[in-house]
C-alpha cells in the first residue's frame, strides 16, 4: 500500500511538473493593432478557444483514466502478490511445525532407547554380583 501511495505521488508530481513546464497551448488570436473587432468576431474567437480547451480537457481526461487504470492494475497485482506470499508463509509454517513434531518424536525415541540401554546395563551388573 505504501508503494502504491508513493507511485501515485510520483505520477501526480509528474503531471503537475509537466503542466507547469509545458508551454501554454492555448493562444488567443489578437487583432492587429489599430483594427477594432466587433462583438461577433470576439465571440467566434472565444468559441474557438472554448472548443480547443474542450479538446485538451478530453485528452487530459483520457490520460488520467489510463493512469488510474494502470494504478488500479498495479494495486491488484500487489494485493495478489501479498496474498501469494501469505499462502506461501502459511505453507512454510505448517512444514516447519511438522518437522518440529518429527524431531520431538525422534528425541523422545532416542531418550527411551538410552534409558533401556542403561537399565539393561544395570541389570547385567547386578546379575554379575
Amino acid at each position: 500500500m505504501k508503494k502504491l501511495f508513493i507511485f501515485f505521488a510520483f505520477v501526480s508530481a509528474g503531471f503537475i511538473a509537466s503542466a507547469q513546464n509545458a508551454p501554454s497551448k492555448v493562444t488567443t488570436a489578437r487583432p492587429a493593432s489599430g483594427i477594432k473587432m466587433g462583438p461577433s468576431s470576439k465571440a467566434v474567437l472565444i468559441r474557438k478557444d472554448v472548443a480547443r480547451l474542450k479538446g485538451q480537457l478530453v485528452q487530459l481526461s483520457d490520460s488520467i483514466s489510463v493512469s488510474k487504470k494502470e494504478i488500479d492494475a498495479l494495486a491488484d497485482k500487489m494485493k495478489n502478490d501479498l496474498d501469494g506470499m501469505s499462502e506461501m508463509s502459511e505453507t512454510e509454517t505448517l512444514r516447519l511445525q511438522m518437522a518440529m513434531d518429527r524431531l520431538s518424536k525422534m528425541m523422545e525415541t532416542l531418550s527411551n532407547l538410552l534409558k533401556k540401554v542403561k537399565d539393561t546395563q544395570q541389570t547385567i551388573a547386578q546379575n554379575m554380583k
Side-chain angles (χ1 to χ4, degrees):
M1 197 60 147
K2 185 177 180 182
K3 290 179 182 178
L4 178 64
F5 177 74
I6 291 171
F7 175 76
F8 184 69
F10 279 123
V11 170
S12 298
F15 278 125
I16 292 170
S18 66
Q20 290 175 350
N21 293 335
S24 176
K25 294 181 182 177
V26 178
T27 56
T28 306
R30 298 186 187 257
S33 61
I35 300 175
K36 293 193 176 191
M37 295 180 68
S40 63
S41 57
K42 284 184 181 180
V44 170
L45 288 176
I46 291 173
R47 284 188 191 113
K48 287 180 182 178
D49 288 343
V50 168
R52 198 173 315 128
L53 286 173
K54 282 183 181 178
Q56 290 174 353
L57 184 61
V58 167
Q59 288 176 348
L60 179 62
S61 175
D62 290 343
S63 68
I64 289 173
S65 66
V66 168
S67 297
K68 183 180 182 321
K69 288 177 185 176
E70 290 172 357
I71 291 170
D72 289 343
L74 282 173
D76 289 341
K77 183 181 180 291
M78 285 182 182
K79 285 179 185 176
N80 291 337
D81 290 347
L82 182 61
D83 291 344
M85 286 183 208
S86 295
E87 289 174 12
M88 196 174 0
S89 177
E90 290 172 8
T91 305
E92 293 298 320
T93 302
L94 184 60
R95 287 182 184 168
L96 180 62
Q97 186 177 6
M98 290 170 56
M100 292 297 290
D101 288 344
R102 283 189 223 137
L103 180 64
S104 175
K105 286 180 183 178
M106 183 184 75
M107 293 300 282
E108 184 180 344
T109 303
L110 283 175
S111 176
N112 290 340
L113 184 65
L114 288 173
K115 184 177 178 186
K116 287 191 181 206
V117 168
K118 182 181 172 188
D119 290 345
T120 304
Q121 285 175 347
Q122 286 178 351
T123 304
I124 292 174
Q126 283 180 352
N127 289 340
M128 289 180 70
K129 289 184 183 178

